[in-house]
Amino acid sequence: MRIAMIGTGYVGLVSGVCFSDFGHEVVCVDKIATKIDMLKNGQVPIYEPGLDAMLEKNVAARRLSFTTDIVEAVAGADAVFIAVGTPTRRGEGHADLTYVYAAAEEIAHALTGYAVVVVKSTVPVGTNREVKRIVEKARPGFAFDVASNPEFLREGAAIEDFMRPDRVVVGAETDRAREVMRALYRPLSLRETPMVFTTLESAELIKYAANAFLATKITFINEMADLCEKVGGDVQDVARGMGLDGRIGSKFLHAGPGYGGSCFPKDTLALARTGQQFNSPIRIVETVIEVNEKRKRSMVDRVLAALDDRVAGKKIAVFGVTFKPETDDMRDAPALAIVPALIGAGASVAIVDPHGRKEGEAMMPGASWAEDPYEAAKGASAIVVITEWNMFRGLDLRRLRGVMAGEALVDMRNVYRPDEAVAAGFAYSSIGRPAVGPLARAAE
Ligand code: NAD
């Protein structure tokens, strides 16, 4: 089948590359000419493990190509995917659908025969119907269908998620559209991946409900972590004991500095706004948003407390700033709430992150960047672990402590074992676990 993928960001690029790997003929379109130029030269503009090799393979097989010309890409396509961004509308929280509707308009004029216009972007309920209206208005009487096909891939594991998803969700209104969607995902149905066919509205809601539920799970365990700290529990034991219950599951039960990233913050906000708009408020999600915002800010207080509120003039080494490991994505990363606050309090911050610098440098002005954790820690009064990249797991803690001027280690991802950190000479604090060593002694 022939596919045009409009929007070549994280989702569009990964989906396009994977669809071409299924054997379909895919043309990826983006407005940003430099991005398309890079891709034409075999360079991948984002960091996503395994993507470059798969891209190269499918370009070589002539199934995958890139263009800025939407008319050329859409001509003769069986399916035209919209995978453009749906950021938060400035100042309020609703999803900004400008890019989706602009793409729909452009696609409408470029269609040359029957095609399914598939909305892959995460969009609020009612958007697919509006896309249908836009195309109908631009091309009265033209044969086409609209389908909602939300994407559930995770950055950092995007290829695996696309190739082996838990399910594929499709909202569609005609048998013809369902047939096209079935054909596109046939390689997955051979692997017995469930396909959930539903209405446009339900498909739109499934995506928001799933993301809001996962954000709620994270926020729940974060609040349990706070309680653990007050009463002497260990949140990791609590999470394990809860997560082994098959009705709950162990995923998304890792306490930390609060959720961030390109999806959860904006999607929880958009769902809450939809609830309010339809006079059906989703109070759990509204609370989750509030608790998570407070949590990111409260992380700054933890660092200040570890330094006895005296940070001015001190060096702080920050380990990891991307919103999670295995991605270079900085969107709404907790680090963006923490690092500028530390700099504002007078600290000099040295960041080490294997892929965060390209995006993060302009977002955290005033910070310096190091290639190596020991270099970042040299002369520092504190180390703060914000993102749990693997490179931080196997560090020699004694050596690390040895190059520092101070002793504070604030581990927001529970990467280290408290006993080992204390044995290496750190005043160690982590999330939802009993404090040990000098900090515990100070609290006694
Ligand atoms: P992104 O910002 O990385 O990419 C969007 C791309 O679309 C940009 O490169 C932009 O230049 C391009 N674009 C915008 N309008 C265009 C047009 N008219 N023609 C051609 N190109 C155009 O966004 P993303 O992270 O890939 O997210 C896309 C959608 O997928 C969002 O709705 C998001 O919520 C959803 N989603 C994202 C993820 C994720 O992990 N990033 C996961 C699931 C769903």
Side-chain angles (χ1 to χ4, degrees):
M1 302 205 97
R2 288 203 56 191
I3 296 174
M5 185 66 65
I6 315 304
T8 309
Y10 277 86
V11 166
L13 182 57
V14 171
S15 307
V17 170
C18 291
F19 273 131
S20 70
D21 208 63
F22 287 171
H24 301 306
E25 199 183 311
V26 180
V27 184
C28 289
V29 185
D30 207 283
K31 281 201 166 325
I32 303 175
T34 47
K35 203 180 252 194
I36 293 301
D37 286 344
M38 277 181 84
L39 287 160
K40 280 182 172 169
N41 289 324
Q43 292 166 282
V44 179
I46 53 169
Y47 174 69
E48 183 60 47
L51 190 57
D52 42 4
M54 192 180 266
L55 182 139
E56 195 185 324
K57 176 182 137 195
N58 287 289
V59 168
R62 300 187 169 278
R63 286 190 294 260
L64 179 62
S65 59
F66 303 95
T67 181
T68 52
D69 186 348
I70 195 166
V71 174
E72 168 198 321
V74 169
D78 300 292
V80 183
F81 281 80
I82 299 179
V84 300
T86 49
T88 299
R89 222 190 287 161
R90 209 174 282 271
E92 23 133 321
H94 282 287
D96 183 349
L97 299 170
T98 317
Y99 305 107
V100 173
Y101 294 151
E105 187 81 44
E106 289 179 70
I107 292 165
H109 293 288
L111 290 170
T112 55
Y114 173 86
V116 183
V117 179
V118 188
V119 179
K120 197 165 244 328
S121 301
T122 302
V123 293
V125 67
T127 307
N128 275 265
R129 236 164 253 296
E130 181 60 16
V131 166
K132 187 174 169 190
R133 203 194 59 76
I134 289 170
V135 180
E136 273 168 356
K137 190 164 170 235
R139 300 289 295 274
F142 195 86
F144 76 100
D145 278 306
V146 167
S148 166
N149 175 217
E151 182 50 56
F152 298 93
L153 62 78
R154 293 162 302 165
E155 289 175 20
I159 292 181
E160 176 67 14
D161 285 352
F162 195 93
M163 293 304 212
R164 296 179 194 284
D166 292 332
R167 77 309 204 183
V168 172
V169 172
V170 175
E173 298 188 297
T174 67
D175 287 341
R176 195 172 181 189
R178 281 185 281 271
E179 266 322 298
V180 169
M181 296 307 289
R182 247 187 223 107
L184 290 176
Y185 283 104
R186 183 145 298 134
L188 297 185
S189 56
L190 298 177
R191 285 184 202 149
E192 303 199 346
T193 304
M195 286 195 71
V196 179
F197 284 102
T198 179
T199 60
L200 298 175
E201 286 76 12
S202 296
E204 291 166 332
L205 284 172
I206 287 168
K207 174 64 192 176
Y208 281 103
N211 270 3
F213 195 84
L214 294 173
T216 303
K217 226 176 151 185
I218 293 173
T219 306
F220 180 86
I221 203 66
N222 282 342
E223 291 207 304
M224 290 305 296
D226 287 347
L227 182 60
C228 283
E229 286 172 19
K230 295 272 164 60
V231 300
D234 183 327
V235 75
Q236 287 186 205
D237 290 342
V238 174
R240 184 168 149 75
M242 278 174 70
L244 284 169
D245 185 327
R247 295 168 301 176
I248 297 172
S250 60
K251 292 185 179 155
F252 289 79
L253 280 183
H254 302 287
Y259 62 77
S262 59
C263 292
F264 286 1
K266 79 173 176 64
D267 292 348
T268 46
L269 215 51
L271 181 62
R273 289 289 178 271
T274 300
Q276 289 154 2
Q277 184 187 342
F278 288 91
N279 202 20
S280 184
I282 309 162
R283 298 229 181 79
I284 290 181
V285 177
E286 291 174 5
T287 305
V288 162
I289 294 165
E290 193 188 320
V291 171
N292 193 63
E293 276 310 306
K294 276 197 191 133
R295 183 163 192 86
K296 286 198 247 176
R297 290 197 296 271
S298 77
M299 290 297 124
V300 178
D301 298 334
R302 281 179 189 252
V303 181
L304 298 183
L307 289 169
D308 295 326
D309 280 324
R310 286 193 288 269
V311 283
K314 289 190 177 154
K315 178 179 178 185
I316 298 175
V318 167
F319 286 6
V321 287
T322 52
F323 88 89
K324 65 175 179 181
E326 298 304 328
T327 181
D328 56 0
D329 202 336
M330 286 294 307
R331 286 178 279 187
D332 267 317
L336 295 176
I338 300 166
V339 171
L342 296 178
I343 294 173
S348 68
V349 173
I351 299 171
V352 55
D353 187 295
H355 290 278
R357 184 167 186 172
K358 190 170 64 131
E359 282 266 311
E361 199 156 19
M363 294 170 142
M364 290 172 286
S368 63
W369 292 76
E371 291 293 318
D372 167 79
Y374 300 103
E375 183 197 326
K378 199 183 277 177
S381 299
I383 293 174
V384 180
V385 181
I386 304 181
T387 310
E388 69 280 31
W389 285 93
N390 273 339
M391 72 180 292
F392 304 131
R393 292 186 189 278
L395 296 178
D396 178 341
L397 291 182
R398 278 179 204 281
R399 185 179 155 206
L400 208 53
R401 172 71 186 83
V403 299
M404 289 173 67
E407 58 180 13
L409 172 53
V410 183
D411 180 358
M412 297 180 182
R413 299 288 184 176
N414 293 354
V415 167
Y416 305 112
R417 280 182 41 182
D419 54 346
E420 286 179 0
V422 170
F426 282 105
Y428 179 72
S429 65
S430 57
I431 303 287
R433 299 192 294 182
V436 285
L439 276 189
R441 283 199 292 281
E444 273 163 14

